[in-house]
């Protein structure tokens, strides 16, 4: 079977890698892919939002199955178009992708179906929003409604901070014309719980945890993710059962009831609070960098899983017992401005027996060079998380490049006494 993966990051590299382990898959294409993905798939220069071109490509090349990585493609309705043209694709329709793309849609759905989440109210007028914050107090959470790539969330510790953010979002329209969801501030540990979903059917993956801040100790600016690991010692089987039965399954059922059944990967960004597990956000796709540590643990054939999602079939997912821990190497300066084009050496050696997933690299006659903010995720494995961390660190040390930095404390929560 021939498959097409859409996207160009570490997440898509991990998907391509998992597909390359499948017995049924004999050819993988990736659009647009990246220099690392090109080692395992044939990259095609079509952008993730060029839906017509992607559908033409899938048709012309007899692609049996297309898998969508990024939300940008979902938000413009790539799945709707593929389905109209009779092409098999794994991902939610534009209507179902609202669960990620519209915070208001997601919050209203959770409210209507009593899925546990932070209390909230939606505002489009600055004055009303400001008065609400004055009444309800701080800390409070302000979420600009729209796809702002994670930049639209402000945790305001003071009223002044809240006011400034509300001005940006509702008076100055810094992110565009939109509304703001004001949410109760929750405290607890966050984890990512991704599930394959096909209508009412939900098959959970192992949980993982991301590290969104740029620097050790969870300090510094927010990023696309600086590392992840799996499993999570502080999330029990009972927690996962609760997340499945009280959150993910009811959400899948609710989407069917609302007339926009979810097909694809439903990502629960969950928080374990003193009052139980609650939803922070949903994503309509695989998480990055969680996918880079979760898919290596998948023992089952991922092509079977994707087919079960697309065909409303059945499957039994099996997982390896080993632990994985991924460290993101990023260009110095990221998530601010950074330079590109620095040579990267030692990759082959460093990746042997584990995984290196490329995010922003370019292939030149000097070998790989840096070409993005986040450059790659180096994933180590071991019988325990401790061993996985040692393995990942050892591999990171083997990579030579003068313009990269990484966090040295990935997984810290798992090692806390
Ligand atoms: P989101 O884009 O909704 O995932 O929000 C980004 C980050 O803000 C989350 O990963 C949390 O760390 C934090 N956050 C979002 N909502 C809340 C909340 N209600 N209480 C506390 N922290 C939150
Ligand atoms: N790791 C968070 C995300 O993919 O949105």
């Amino acid at each position: 079977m021939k498959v097409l993966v859409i996207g160009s990051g570490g997440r898509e590299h991990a998907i391509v890698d998992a597909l390359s382990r499948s017995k049924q898959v004999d050819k993988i294409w990736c659009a647009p892919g990246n220099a690392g993905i090109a080692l395992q798939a044939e990259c095609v220069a079509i952008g993730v939002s060029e839906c017509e071109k992607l559908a033409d490509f899938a048709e012309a090349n007899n692609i049996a199955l297309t898998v969508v990585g990024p939300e940008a493609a979902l938000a413009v309705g790539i799945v709707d178009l593929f389905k109209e043209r009779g092409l098999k694709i794994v991902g939610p329709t534009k209507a179902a992708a609202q669960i990620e793309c519209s915070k208001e849609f997601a919050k209203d759905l959770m409210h209507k179906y009593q899925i546990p989440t932070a209390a909230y109210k939606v505002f489009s007028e600055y004055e009303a929003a400001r008065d609400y914050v004055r009444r309800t107090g701080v800390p409070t959470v302000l979420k600009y409604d729209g796809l702002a790539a994670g930049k639209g969330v402000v945790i305001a510790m003071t009223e002044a901070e809240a006011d400034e953010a509300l001005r940006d979002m509702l008076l100055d329209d810094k992110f565009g014309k939109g509304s703001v969801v004001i949410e109760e501030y929750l405290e607890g540990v966050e984890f990512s719980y991704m599930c394959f979903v096909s209508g009412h059917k939900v098959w959970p993956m192992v949980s993982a945890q991301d590290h969104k801040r740029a620097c050790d100790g969870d300090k510094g600016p927010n990023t696309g993710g600086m590392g992840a690991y799996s499993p999570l010692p502080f999330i029990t089987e009972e927690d996962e059962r609760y997340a499945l039965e009280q959150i993910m399954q009811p959400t899948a059922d609710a989407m069917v009831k609302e007339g926009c059944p979810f097909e694809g990967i439903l990502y629960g960004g969950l928080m374990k609070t003193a009052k139980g597990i609650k939803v922070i956000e949903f994503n309509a796709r695989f998480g990055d960098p969680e996918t880079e540590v979760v898919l290596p643990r998948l023992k089952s054939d991922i092509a079977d899983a994707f087919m079960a999602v697309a065909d409303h079939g059945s499957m039994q997912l099996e997982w390896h017992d080993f632990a994985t821990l991924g460290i993101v190497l990023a260009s110095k300066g990221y998530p601010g401005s950074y330079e590109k084009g620095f040579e990267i050496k030692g990759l082959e050696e460093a990746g042997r027996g584990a995984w290196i997933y490329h995010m922003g690299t370019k292939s030149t006659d000097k070998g790989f060079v840096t070409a993005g903010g986040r450059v790659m995720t180096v994933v180590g494995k071991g019988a325990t998380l401790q061993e996985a961390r040692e393995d990942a660190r050892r591999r990171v040390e083997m990579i030579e490049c003068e313009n990269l930095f990484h966090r040295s404390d990935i997984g810290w929560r798992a090692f806390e006494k």
Side-chain angles (χ1 to χ4, degrees), residues 103 107 117-119 139-144 149-155 182-188 190 210 212-213 222 267 269-271 273 279-283:
K103 302 238 183 236
K107 291 302 279 190
T117 187
T140 189
V141 183
L142 312 171
K143 299 186 176 182
Y144 172 76
K151 292 180 200 104
V153 177
V154 173
I155 314 263
I182 303 188
E183 251 183 47
E184 166 197 10
Y185 174 75
L186 299 177
E187 266 172 296
E190 278 181 73
D210 182 10
K212 289 196 170 111
R213 303 296 200 96
N222 259 320
Y267 166 121
L270 310 181
M271 190 184 272
T273 75
V279 178
I280 292 285
E281 64 163 348
F282 284 117
N283 290 328

Side-chain angles (χ1 to χ4, degrees), residues 78-215:
I78 190 166
V79 172
D80 307 63
L81 180 75
F82 268 61
K83 286 191 167 165
E84 270 164 33
R85 293 179 53 171
L87 296 163
K88 199 171 280 191
I89 186 162
V90 174
T93 57
K94 192 173 173 179
Q98 282 187 94
I99 198 161
E100 166 166 7
C101 303
S102 163
K103 302 238 183 236
E104 189 175 353
F105 174 91
K107 291 302 279 190
D108 287 349
L109 186 88
M110 288 186 268
H111 182 69
K112 184 167 171 188
Y113 294 91
Q114 287 159 21
I115 293 157
T117 187
Y120 72 104
K121 228 171 141 89
V122 187
F123 293 90
S124 48
E125 304 289 344
Y126 163 74
E127 281 82 13
R130 184 201 53 199
D131 292 347
Y132 179 78
V133 170
R134 285 193 185 151
R135 260 201 327 279
T136 51
V138 286
T140 189
V141 183
L142 312 171
K143 299 186 176 182
Y144 172 76
D145 202 16
L147 259 190
K151 292 180 200 104
V153 177
V154 173
I155 314 263
M157 302 310 284
T158 64
E159 256 183 40
E161 270 170 38
D163 194 56
E164 192 188 325
L166 288 175
R167 278 172 186 278
D168 284 351
M169 293 173 179
L170 292 175
L171 279 185
D172 303 338
D173 296 334
K174 275 208 179 152
F175 308 101
K177 195 94 202 127
S179 52
V180 172
V181 177
I182 303 188
E183 251 183 47
E184 166 197 10
Y185 174 75
L186 299 177
E187 266 172 296
V189 302
E190 278 181 73
F191 65 105
S192 308
Y193 193 58
M194 301 188 285
C195 299
F196 292 96
V197 173
S198 184
H200 287 293
K201 294 183 180 164
V202 181
W203 299 276
M205 298 185 218
V206 290
S207 26
Q209 191 182 48
D210 182 10
H211 299 60
K212 289 196 170 111
R213 303 296 200 96
C215 311

